[in-house]
Each structure stands twice: as C-alpha cells, then as structure tokens.
C-alpha cells in the first residue's frame, strides 16, 4: 500500500508558484493576441476577422440577399469562434453601426441600435445582415495565395490568420480594447487622408510624422462634432502613439436659440439632456429658460436651448455647458497594436504605416507569385495540348486502345505527368475540337502576363507603382470627405457660483457686534430690524446678490464675502468671525458693495486718505488683505462712496468744527497705503487724539450736504459749499455755531 502512494519517477513535478505564473502568463498572452488587440495588417481583432470571413464563406457579399444574423452568428461560433453567441453578435453589431464605425463592414436590416443607445439593437433572430462593399478591401484577395492559414479550434477547418487588407484599415475604423496589463484606443481616420499619407511614405520612406500630418490632419469620427485639439498636440500624439483628443459638440444659433446639431463620438443625446436639465432644476443655469429635443429621422441630433432673454451671452453659456456636460469629451489615444512580428507595441504614425506597407508589399508579392505560378502551370499544360493537337489522331487512338494510356502518352510524345493528366482530363469530343490558333493565342497572352509579373516582382519601383495604383482605386471606390471638422477653440470654462447667481437687489446689514445678514430689496429700514440684546445697527449697504461684499476692519484690512451666501435677514444673522479671520481685538468699521469699477474714498481719522477701486479691495482668503495704513493712534473711517457725476468734491470735517471742501481729482488712486493729507491736522495733535476727522463724504455737482451734530442737522446747498473750499491739506473753515461738533456728513437727495 505504501508503494502505491509514492509517485512515479517519470511523473513531471511543478511547483504551485511556477504553475500559477505560467498559467497567468499564458492567459495574458491569449487575451492580448487572441482577443483584445487588433493586428496591424487588417486592423481587426480575431472575433471580427472570423465574423467577416465566415460571412464571406456564406456568400453574404454586398450583392447577396440579406440573411438572418442568427444564422451567421451560429456559423461563426460553430466553425471558428467557440465563445458566447451574445458576445459574437455584439461584435457583429458594432461593425454594422455607421455611428460607431467610420467605414462599416456589415450592412444590416432591422434595429441595429441608435446613436443615443448603441446597445438597443434587436436580438439576432430579428435582424438580417450582409457585408458592405467596403468589406471587399479585406476579402477580395483572399483566395489568391495571399494569406497564411491556421486550423480552427477543433482542427477540422482552416481560417486565415490575417485578412489581406488593401488599405490601412487599422487607422480607418480604429478600435478599442482592454487586455491584461495593456489597452488600445485607436481613433478612426479618413480614407482619403490615410491613403495620401501612405502614398507619400511609399514615395519618401524617410518622411516624418510632421510630413504625414500634412495629409492626416487628425482623426475623423463618424460625427460632425469638432475636434478642438491643437495641431501641435495632435502631432505629438502621432509621434509618441499616446495622448488625448478633445471633441466638442457643434451648434448654431437659430432665431435666438442654440441648436446643437452634432454630438461627440458615442455621446448620448438623452444623457446630455439629463445633464442640462439637472443644472436647470438646481438653478445653476439661470440663463436658459427651456430645453427641447427636436431630433427626428432627418435630423438625428437636434437639441434646442432657449435663452431667458436676447441679452444672454450664448457663447459664454455654451462654454459653461462644454465644461460641465458631455457636450465636450476627451478621448484617450493609445496606438497599441500587434505588429507584423506578432508582438504588441505602442507605435507612432510613421511606424504603423511603414509596418503596414511592409505587410502590403509582402501580400502583393505573394499574390503575384501565386498568379505567376498559375500562369506558368497553364502555359505548361498548353504546351501539352499543342503536342496533342499536332498528333491528335494518334492521341485518340492511344486513349481508346491502350490499357495504360498515360504511360504510353508520356513515352510516345516525351511529355510529363501534368501534361498527360491534362490531356486525359479532356473529353474526346473536346480533344478533337482543339484548335492551334486558340492554344497559341492563349499561350501568347499568358506569356505576356508572365513577363509583366516577372518584371513587377523583379522591380521595387514597379511594385510600388502597383500598390499606389491599387490604393488610389480603393479611394475612388470608397473615399469620402472629412466629417469631423478641425477647429481652434478657446478652453471651455464653467461659470463660477457667483456668475450663476441672479442679480437680485439686497440690503446688507452689519450690527455693532459684527453680525451680518442680507435682506431682499432696497426698501428696507436696517435700523428697524431686530437685534440681539446689547447689539444694534451699525452699517448698511445696498447691492445685488451677484456682487461681492467687502468689510473693512479697524486695522485697515479688507475682507470679501459672497453676498448670495449671506444669511437671510429673517433671522439675526451670523457673526462675521465665523466667515473671516480678523486680528484679535479688531472691530468692523466699514461695509461696502458694488461693481469692479466702482470707486470709494478710504481714509483714517488722522486726516489721510486715497481713492481705491472696488476690485482692489477684494481678497480671496479669510485673513483678508491690508488696504489702509494707519498713522499712530489713528482709526479707520467708514468708506465714502464716489457717485458718478461731474466735479466731485471731498468734504472733510474735524472734531474742532473745521470743514474743508476740495476737488476729488487732487487725491491719488491707489491699491493700498496711507494716502495723502486730506485736511491739515498736526501729526502730534492727531497722535494725541486731540484733533481728528469726524466726518467724510463725496459730493457731486448739484448735490446737498447734510451736516449732523448731535440730535440736529443742517443742509448745505452746492453754492454754500464754496465758503469751505480750499486746497487739499489746508485747515478748512469753521462751521456755524451749533454744528461744530460734527457726528456725521452725508449727501441727501432733494
């Protein structure tokens, strides 16, 4: 019993590690070579090659009647491809879809899917198919000694290893595939352009990618969407064999509406509509009011976007949609193919065309050699026929009387086995009808053809000329113009959240304790709003929801807040410190909002200030930006808005009752700093807080100035301000008694 358990010495032993490694490598190579990657010769994967070959064997050429696809699939999986019928059918469908293949190989009847849903095709028992005329470029030379044959899966039949393609089908239809550890993504191209580049490479073997790109401008998808990848990037892609393509939907404006009439390759119109509709529902596309799908049989793609008004920037809206939807798509390119050496590799455009030309030359040589052999064999037989004609009576007698006529004929007329068999294969009736003129005529024609074949095979120039002629013939038969236009476009940019915000009027309110909120409308009385105990109204600014809000603190720093994100005035707001990070102990001294070009007067109570544009006050980070430099012991004054008007005047008042009026033009426009002297306050007195500015505003021509002092005020008309006018930096003039303790200066509307 023990002896029986011991393994025989002759049994091969393999460790589990080695076995697993070998099994995985075998599987990997099978996937790479027999499933996922196309061959450079015909540009087909094995399953596609087997489908096309099986259909040709079934006689399903372009001129034949349609046949049920189920019958074709059954023939494929029964004879050549022992895999699932659904997978084989799906591969067959792909080759029949004119929106998937640039040059379809299969012509189908029935439901073969739609661009919107490529996998919506009917079951194979309901569809019918045959080959397209283009498929002949892969099959026409099949029986002419041009291909190597390999046994099928059960060894009962033979199948071609590679089809004898007359054009670089690999580039024309492209392909995608995922193997183990590698993938391939080859975009389709235009037949005319690829053939032109191939002919140039045939004429100039040292041509570079840049030379070939004069003919091949870029890929050519079966859609009219625009390829927007720059020419330099395309050239780099073709040089390295790797890269990416950007394809953008094509649109036009009709009656004020945007009509999208072409989508990127394999992009679903229904999905695009869903993406746009989702943005509209989320109120992230306020400029679009309606969305319609008007696609029909005549217009497979027609998506209509109706703008909210005729003032909408349609190009800007489309740029946003290109950035946020599948209206613009990026395609990966990886020119990974099985070369003529049988190995997978990523190849450049030049390498692909050179390898294919080497494959094509070999195919043409094999075809010519095969034909030459047939011609010489026929000429040899004709020589035997001629011998038979010259001795027709004797030949007939030998055939009728001799027991072994073949041996007698060989011995009598000094002919060989082939000639003797050819004579014996003829019926006596036909043998008697042999005519010398016909035999000689056929032999002369064949002799001429033989000489031509030998000259072509013996001359590289003649061989190249023949290949070029055949390439041009394919172009004449199947060539068409480019579908995908090449265009230069700016990079698509999505709207920011602020740009998508509607311009609703808002009143921004800031409390004494630094709580902020925004009330809808401009007819709000900020002081009447409810405030927390111990808190009250401090500042208010009227603006719009799509304009930012800037807050100025006591250290001279400015902070930017998105107005549309401010809390509602229905509550008591939120503390500013939750949204920004001011220095410890800082208080808020100013609130302003406006357009980028709006101007404000910034100043300190030491009597220094400058004009600043609103855009200069905005900061992206929470810590803000330093804007106003403060002299010793000086404090920040609330910014004064500069209204549009002629001859704006700056009005400054101090705690000692002095007021100065001077032209705004005397102040510089700065981005940051201390500014220039507004009113003459000695530095020592300002530092000691003995004299300081208590009021500041800007008055335009015809405006009225209101001076508030405690609980009462007085209005000064434009003409009355002349008394206080002077040069910038002067001491100013005294205000009337009772109004010298100025608490506020403001412009009032009559």
């Amino acid at each position: 019993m023990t002896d029986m358990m011991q393994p025989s010495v002759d049994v091969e032993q393999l460790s589990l590690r080695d076995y697993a490694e070998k099994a995985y490598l075998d599987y990997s190579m099978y996937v790479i070579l027999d499933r996922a990657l196309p061959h450079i010769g015909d540009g087909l994967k094995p399953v596609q090659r087997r489908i096309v070959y099986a259909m040709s064997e079934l006689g399903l050429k372009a001129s034949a009647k349609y046949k049920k696809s189920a019958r074709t699939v059954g023939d494929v999986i029964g004879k050549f491809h022992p895999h699932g019928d659904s997978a084989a059918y799906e591969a067959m469908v792909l080759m029949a879809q004119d929106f998937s293949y640039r040059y379809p190989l299969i012509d189908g009847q029935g439901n073969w899917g739609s661009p919107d849903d490529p996998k919506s095709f009917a079951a194979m028992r309901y569809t019918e198919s045959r080959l397209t005329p283009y498929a002949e470029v892969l099959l026409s030379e099949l029986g002419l000694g041009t291909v190597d044959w390999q046994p099928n899966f059960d060894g009962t039949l033979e199948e071609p290893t590679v089809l004898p393609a007359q054009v670089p089908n690999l580039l024309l239809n492209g392909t995608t595939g995922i193997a183990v550890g590698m993938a391939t993504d080859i975009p389709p191209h235009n037949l005319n352009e690829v053939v032109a580049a191939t002919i140039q490479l045939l004429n100039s073997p040292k041509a570079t990618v840049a030379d070939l790109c004069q003919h091949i401008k870029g890929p050519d998808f079966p859609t009219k969407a625009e390829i927007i990848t720059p020419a330099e990037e395309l050239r780099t892609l073709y040089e390295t064999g790797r890269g990416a393509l950007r394809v953008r939907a094509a649109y036009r404006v009709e009656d004020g509406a945007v009509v999208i009439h072409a989508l990127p390759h394999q992009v679903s119109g229904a999905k695009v509509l869903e993406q746009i509709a989702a943005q509209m529902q989320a109120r992230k596309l306020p400029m679009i009011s309606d969305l319609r799908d008007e696609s029909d049989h005549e217009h497979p793609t027609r998506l209509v976007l109706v703008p909210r008004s005729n003032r909408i920037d349609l190009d800007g809206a489309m740029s946003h949609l290109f950035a946020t939807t599948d209206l613009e798509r990026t395609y990966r390119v990886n020119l990974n193919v099985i070369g003529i050496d049988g190995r997978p590799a990523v190849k450049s455009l030049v390498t692909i065309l050179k390898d294919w030309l080497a494959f094509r030359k070999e195919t043409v040589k094999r075809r010519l050699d095969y034909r030459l052999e047939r011609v010489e064999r026929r000429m040899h037989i004709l020589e035997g026929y001629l011998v038979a004609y010259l001795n027709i009576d004797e030949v007939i007698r030998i055939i009728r009387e001799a027991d072994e006529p073949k041996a007698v004929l060989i011995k009598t007329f000094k002919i060989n086995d082939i000639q003797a068999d050819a004579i014996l294969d003829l019926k006596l009736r036909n043998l008697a009808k042999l005519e010398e003129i016909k035999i000689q005529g056929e032999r002369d024609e064949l002799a001429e053809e033989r000489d031509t074949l030998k000259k072509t095979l013996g001359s590289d120039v003649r061989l190249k000329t023949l290949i070029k002629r055949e390439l041009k013939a394919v172009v004449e038969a199947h060539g068409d113009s480019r579908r995908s236009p090449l265009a230069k476009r700016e990079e698509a940019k999505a709207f920011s959240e602020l740009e998508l915000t509607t311009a609703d009027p808002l009143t921004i309110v800031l409390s004494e304790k630094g709580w902020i909120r925004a009330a809808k409308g401009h007819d709000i009385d900020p002081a009447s709003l409810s405030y927390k105990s111990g808190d009250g109204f401090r500042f208010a600014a009227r603006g719009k929801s799509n304009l930012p809000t800037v807050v100025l603190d006591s250290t001279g720093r400015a902070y930017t807040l998105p107005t549309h994100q401010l809390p509602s005035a229905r509550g008591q707001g939120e503390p500013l410190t939750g949204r920004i990070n001011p220095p410890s102990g800082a208080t808020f001294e100013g609130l302003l909002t406006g357009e980028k070009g709006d101007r404000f007067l910034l100043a300190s109570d030491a009597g220094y200030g400058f004009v600043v544009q609103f855009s200069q006050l905005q900061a992206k980070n929470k810590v803000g930006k330093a804007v106003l430099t403060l002299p010793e012991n000086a404090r920040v004054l609330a910014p004064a808005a500069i209204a549009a008007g002629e001859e704006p005047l700056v009005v400054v008042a101090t705690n000692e009752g002095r007021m100065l009026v001077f032209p705004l033009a005397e102040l510089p426009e700065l981005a940051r700093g201390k500014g220039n002297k507004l009113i003459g306050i000695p530095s020592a007195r300002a530092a000691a807080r003995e004299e300081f500015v208590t009021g500041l505003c800007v008055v335009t021509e015809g405006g009225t100035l209101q001076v508030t002092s405690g609980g009462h005020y007085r209005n000064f008309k434009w003409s009355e301000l002349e008394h206080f006018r002077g040069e910038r930096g002067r001491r100013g003039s005294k205000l009337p008694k009772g109004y010298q303790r100025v608490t506020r200066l403001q412009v009032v509307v009559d």
Side-chain angles (χ1 to χ4, degrees), residues 212-285:
L212 299 184
C213 284
Q214 293 178 0
H215 301 286
I216 301 178
K217 305 294 185 182
D220 187 23
F221 293 96
T223 172
K224 293 183 179 179
E226 298 175 341
I227 297 173
I228 61 170
T229 304
E232 298 80 16
E233 291 184 26
L234 287 174
R235 189 160 56 248
T236 304
L237 182 153
Y238 286 131
E239 286 172 349
T240 61
R242 288 191 176 94
L245 288 167
R246 291 194 303 281
V247 181
R248 180 178 290 184
Y251 73 94
R252 56 178 175 264
V253 179
E254 295 182 5
D255 300 328
V258 174
V259 178
I260 301 167
H261 58 87
L263 294 171
H265 184 48
Q266 294 178 334
V267 166
S268 166
K271 186 178 179 183
V272 169
L273 287 172
E274 286 179 11
Q275 291 172 335
I276 299 174
Q279 291 193 31
M280 292 172 67
Q281 289 174 355
R283 297 183 179 181
K284 293 183 176 180
L285 208 60

Side-chain angles (χ1 to χ4, degrees), residues 18-52:
D18 293 341
Y19 169 78
E21 185 177 344
K22 185 177 182 302
Y24 182 72
L25 287 174
D26 289 345
Y27 170 74
S28 301
M29 294 310 298
Y30 159 72
V31 173
I32 292 168
L33 300 176
D34 292 328
R35 276 180 63 181
L37 266 58
H39 194 279
I40 200 167
D42 57 10
L44 299 177
K45 300 176 186 178
V47 64
Q48 296 169 328
R49 186 179 301 116
R50 286 162 176 164
I51 290 169
V52 172

Side-chain angles (χ1 to χ4, degrees), residues 382-649:
L382 288 174
E383 288 176 4
Y385 285 169
L386 194 59
V387 171
Y389 171 76
L390 295 173
N391 303 278
I392 188 66
D393 295 334
E394 182 66 15
V395 170
I396 292 172
R397 188 190 64 78
I398 292 171
I399 293 172
R400 284 177 174 174
E401 297 177 0
D403 294 333
E404 295 288 340
K406 180 178 177 181
V408 177
L409 287 172
I410 293 172
K411 185 178 180 180
T412 305
F413 302 111
K414 306 294 192 255
I415 59 178
N416 57 26
D417 286 2
I418 296 172
Q419 293 170 324
D421 286 334
I423 293 169
L424 292 171
D425 286 341
L426 283 174
K427 293 180 180 179
L428 286 176
R429 190 188 325 167
N430 294 334
L431 190 63
K433 290 181 180 178
L434 285 177
E435 295 181 18
E436 185 180 8
I437 296 174
K438 289 183 179 180
I439 296 171
Q440 288 285 10
E442 186 180 353
R443 193 170 70 166
D444 291 343
E445 288 177 7
L446 291 173
E448 187 179 349
E449 185 180 354
R450 179 195 62 192
D451 294 341
T452 304
L453 290 169
K454 285 185 175 180
K455 285 179 182 178
T456 305
L457 286 166
S459 170
D460 192 53
V461 176
R462 286 175 178 268
L463 191 65
K464 287 182 179 179
T465 304
L466 177 61
I467 292 172
K468 283 190 283 186
R469 189 164 63 245
E470 291 176 351
L471 284 169
K472 290 176 181 177
V474 175
V475 168
E476 290 177 6
H478 306 288
D480 59 359
S481 57
R482 167 176 279 278
R483 293 189 194 176
S484 301
L486 298 161
K488 290 184 179 179
R489 303 293 185 200
E490 294 183 1
E491 186 180 355
K493 293 182 180 178
F495 288 138
S496 64
E497 190 177 357
L498 186 63
E499 290 174 312
L500 292 171
T501 305
T502 55
D504 300 323
L506 292 176
T507 302
I508 303 103
V509 182
L510 183 64
S511 74
E512 292 177 353
K513 300 294 184 183
W515 286 60
I516 196 166
R517 49 186 154 169
K520 290 184 178 180
H522 287 167
D523 53 348
I524 305 294
D525 181 13
S528 64
L529 297 175
S530 66
Y531 295 88
K532 287 185 175 293
S533 178
D535 199 0
F537 169 72
R538 180 74 187 276
F539 297 112
R542 291 186 176 95
K544 295 180 179 179
S545 56
N546 63 340
L547 300 176
T549 297
V550 172
V551 179
L552 201 66
D553 74 0
S554 57
T555 67
R557 299 187 74 84
Y559 308 86
T560 305
L561 300 167
T563 305
H564 65 281
Q565 293 181 355
L566 294 177
S568 170
R570 292 174 181 173
Q572 294 175 332
E574 294 178 7
L576 269 174
T577 50
R579 295 172 177 261
I580 59 177
N581 294 329
S584 180
T587 58
F588 301 108
E589 304 296 334
L591 179 71
L592 53 151
T593 184
E595 304 280 353
K596 288 183 178 180
D598 291 350
R599 298 191 302 162
F600 294 86
L601 177 58
L602 295 189
S604 63
D605 65 1
Y608 289 86
F610 60 91
V611 177
V612 64
Q613 284 195 12
F614 185 69
S615 59
Q616 298 288 346
L617 297 173
Q618 297 178 40
K620 293 182 180 179
N621 46 26
K622 285 188 174 183
V623 295
K625 64 186 290 188
V627 177
L628 184 63
T629 304
L630 298 173
E632 186 182 359
N633 290 333
R635 296 174 184 174
V636 176
L637 293 174
I642 302 172
E646 296 182 2
E647 299 184 18
L649 299 176

Side-chain angles (χ1 to χ4, degrees), residues 40 168 170-171 186 189 193-194 197-198 201 207-218 234-242 335 346-356:
I40 200 167
L170 173 75
L171 291 175
I186 303 171
H189 292 77
E193 295 179 3
V194 171
T198 307
L201 192 61
T208 62
V209 169
D211 298 331
L212 299 184
C213 284
Q214 293 178 0
H215 301 286
I216 301 178
K217 305 294 185 182
L234 287 174
R235 189 160 56 248
T236 304
L237 182 153
Y238 286 131
E239 286 172 349
T240 61
R242 288 191 176 94
L335 306 181
V346 177
K347 300 178 183 291
S348 67
L349 178 63
V350 170
T351 309
I352 287 175
L353 290 180
K354 277 186 176 179
D355 285 3
W356 184 84

